[in-house]
């Protein structure tokens, strides 16, 4: 609508979600695997959507935040619930054992506490609850889930189908996913990272992926982190002294 002012835009590899100030969502781009949340077409095919279309939300729900993964989408509602749709082969929607590999409508995800923020990588999802806990699900090929005891690599044993808590030394205030790496920032600006690090994107001065959260970067001294941005092979840290 003409009076809908964009508040946030989230982009995946081939799709875009637009959140307006009224809590409505619009989507465009590839609807492969149901990532736009528009449902299946009449012939069962997932078509490209060249102009922004209104995304149906569950009855009574309003969107507060949206995140796009490679081929999936997650939404936090104004009532702190989590919704997800799209590609779910690796469990990145967090819907648990027996869930469909493709979900074409935004669907409620079970989370043990109210949700503050969600962020997505290519095939994994990270959730921050209002009490500062961090939970992850999906693909753990490079250790991007940060979960003790979950194998890395390409096999199905590395897929986590439901949200599980990440062991952190303190409560988190912000979370960020790159392609296959994850960061958490505490209220005091302490930074932890884990996952893919083949190009040094964790900022540790080495090129080795890490399956567990590690404090970083070591060379920042007394500087604290205000925010993080991370892509496929690079990360940027905004700091304060």
């Amino acid at each position: 609508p003409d009076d809908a002012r964009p508040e946030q835009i989230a982009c995946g590899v081939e799709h875009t979600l637009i959140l307006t100030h009224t809590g409505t969502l619009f989507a465009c781009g590839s609807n492969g695997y149901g990532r736009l949340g528009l449902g299946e077409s009449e012939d069962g095919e997932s078509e490209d959507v060249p102009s922004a279309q209104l995304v149906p939300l569950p009855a009574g729900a309003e969107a507060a935040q949206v995140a796009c993964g490679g081929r999936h989408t997650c939404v936090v509602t104004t009532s702190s619930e989590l919704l997800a749709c799209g590609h779910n082969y690796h469990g990145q929607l967090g819907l648990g054992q027996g869930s469909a590999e493709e979900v074409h409508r935004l669907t409620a995800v079970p989370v043990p506490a109210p949700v503050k923020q969600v962020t997505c990588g290519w095939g994994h999802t990270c959730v921050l609850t209002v009490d500062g806990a961090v939970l992850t699900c999906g693909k753990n090929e490079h250790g991007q889930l940060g979960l003790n005891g979950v194998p890395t690599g390409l096999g199905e044993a590395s897929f986590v189908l439901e949200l599980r808590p990440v062991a952190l030394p303190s409560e988190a205030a912000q979370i960020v996913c790159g392609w296959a790496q994850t960061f958490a920032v505490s209220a005091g600006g302490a930074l932890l990272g884990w996952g893919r690090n083949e190009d040094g994107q964790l900022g540790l001065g080495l090129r080795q992926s890490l399956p567990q959260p590690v404090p970083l970067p070591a060379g920042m001294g007394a500087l604290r982190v205000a925010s993080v941005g991370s892509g496929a092979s690079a990360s940027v840290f905004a700091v304060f002294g």
Side-chain angles (χ1 to χ4, degrees):
D2 293 338
D3 61 348
R5 184 175 65 250
E7 289 283 308
Q8 184 200 351
I9 298 174
C11 299
V13 173
E14 296 177 329
H15 72 300
T16 300
L17 271 289
I18 303 165
L19 170 64
T20 75
H21 75 289
T22 62
T24 55
L25 276 176
F26 293 85
C28 59
S30 170
N31 195 33
Y33 306 100
R35 72 192 82 180
L36 299 185
L38 299 174
E40 291 186 88
S41 61
E42 292 182 1
D43 60 5
E45 296 295 327
S46 295
E47 301 174 348
D48 291 345
V49 178
S51 60
Q53 302 293 316
L54 180 67
V55 179
L57 298 171
E62 293 183 3
Q65 189 237 325
V66 60
C68 292
R71 295 177 290 188
H72 69 292
T73 300
C74 292
V75 174
V76 180
T77 70
T78 53
S79 56
S80 300
E81 296 175 318
L82 182 65
L83 308 173
C85 64
H87 192 247
N88 193 39
Y89 178 75
H90 305 107
Q92 57 262 56
L93 301 188
L95 296 173
Q97 193 70 38
S99 57
E101 293 183 6
E102 298 181 14
V103 178
H104 291 256
R105 299 272 186 189
L106 284 167
T107 302
V109 179
V111 187
V115 176
K116 178 180 178 181
Q117 183 195 352
V118 64
T119 180
C120 302
W122 165 255
H124 77 295
T125 299
C126 184
V127 172
L128 174 65
T129 67
V130 295
D131 56 7
V134 173
L135 305 99
T136 57
C137 63
K139 191 176 185 180
N140 196 46
E141 178 182 354
H142 301 279
Q144 57 261 52
L145 301 186
L147 299 174
N148 186 32
V150 176
T152 57
L154 295 172
E156 291 189 12
S158 69
F159 302 168
V160 174
L161 306 184
E162 70 287 321
L163 287 164
R164 296 186 191 176
V166 179
L168 298 176
S170 62
E171 295 179 1
Q174 177 193 162
I175 52 173
V176 174
C177 285
W179 185 272
Q181 63 271 8
T182 309
F183 297 92
V185 183
S186 74
L191 176 67
L192 295 101
W194 58 93
R196 187 172 183 264
N197 193 42
E198 295 169 1
D199 299 299
Q201 53 265 61
L202 294 183
L204 288 170
L206 52 83
R207 294 181 178 178
Q208 177 182 346
S209 296
L210 301 171
Q212 302 291 320
V214 174
L216 57 103
M220 290 176 56
L223 294 176
R224 314 306 286 170
V225 174
S227 62
V228 180
S230 190
S233 301
S235 301
V236 177
F237 311 111
V239 300
F240 61 96

